Amino acid sequence: SNPNPTDHSRHALALQARDDALSSSPEGYGDLCRNFCRVLGCPSPQNIPLSELESFHNSDREMFQRCCGWIPEVVAAGDGGAASPTDEDLAQRRRSGMVMWNTLRQMAGLLLKNALVTPPLPKNTPTDALGRPLPGHGGRMALPPDAAAEIKHGLLRCIADEETAVRSSASTAIARCCTAAVALGKSLGAFAVKQW
């Protein structure tokens, strides 16, 4: 979601889609958290399978071009008979694209942290005026153990990443998860300080 003030409705729709996906089911919550962690840990869009790049392209062409327009397979597919870009043009596209890609990685880390430290309530859970579940209606989403393990390993890898912003995002997620685990207990127990 691009929080451009001139496109508030698109931003609001993206936030609602994120919230709906996180609260859809425990499996959906776990899968989305895993994917946030996978993006955070992906040092280059060149590491993404072409089928996934195509999905990214089809969902947001402008952002795709800004992040991935320098990848040789993407440049070749988009030429349409036009003159090939120079090596200098491709190098500049790559530098700009990697800045955007690393910004997306950092944002994925922020989204992951927020999803973990403030797990959503399952969809259609009745709540009181303060947004707390009514008695007898369960609690917040919890990660399946295999998702928690994958995310912990991914975060630990990211604190050694080359990119400062990625390291910062990962370390913030770890720190907040450790402190939130005290309050959230079972739903975030795998992230308690003693579990690292």
Side-chain angles (χ1 to χ4, degrees):
S1 162
N2 179 3
N4 181 338
T6 61
D7 198 2
H8 179 74
S9 62
R10 182 177 176 192
H11 181 65
L13 286 173
L15 292 175
Q16 186 61 51
R18 177 207 59 198
D19 293 344
D20 289 346
L22 285 169
S23 65
S24 65
S25 69
E27 296 78 21
Y29 172 68
D31 287 345
L32 190 51
C33 287
R34 282 181 204 210
N35 285 330
F36 286 151
C37 190
R38 289 171 182 160
V39 171
L40 177 65
C42 184
S44 170
Q46 281 187 295
N47 298 353
I48 299 173
L50 286 176
S51 61
E52 293 300 319
L53 285 176
E54 185 176 321
S55 178
F56 179 19
H57 174 268
N58 292 339
S59 67
D60 190 339
R61 291 174 190 251
E62 180 185 343
M63 184 58 72
F64 176 84
Q65 278 299 59
R66 290 172 69 188
C67 292
C68 307
W70 58 271
I71 298 173
E73 295 85 357
V74 172
V75 172
D79 277 350
S84 296
T86 66
D87 287 344
E88 186 176 320
D89 288 339
L90 285 176
Q92 178 56 39
R93 279 192 206 176
R94 184 181 195 291
R95 283 189 296 275
S96 297
M98 287 306 297
V99 167
M100 285 304 302
W101 179 250
N102 287 319
T103 301
L104 281 179
R105 293 175 68 199
Q106 183 179 14
M107 184 171 40
L110 176 64
L111 291 168
L112 174 62
K113 175 198 58 102
N114 290 344
L116 293 174
V117 301
T118 312
L121 292 169
K123 200 172 215 149
N124 302 321
T125 300
T127 60
D128 64 15
L130 298 175
R132 298 175 298 207
L134 294 176
H137 289 281
R140 298 193 172 273
M141 292 285 186
L143 286 174
D146 59 325
E150 180 181 335
I151 290 167
K152 281 174 57 176
H153 291 289
L155 288 171
L156 287 172
R157 279 192 309 272
C158 288
I159 60 174
D161 197 271
E162 289 182 17
E163 290 295 319
T164 303
V166 171
R167 289 193 310 269
S168 176
S169 199
S171 62
T172 300
I174 291 170
R176 287 291 294 128
C177 285
C178 288
T179 57
V182 174
L184 294 173
K186 181 183 173 198
S187 68
L188 208 52
F191 293 89
V193 172
K194 292 180 182 179
Q195 301 297 320
W196 288 92

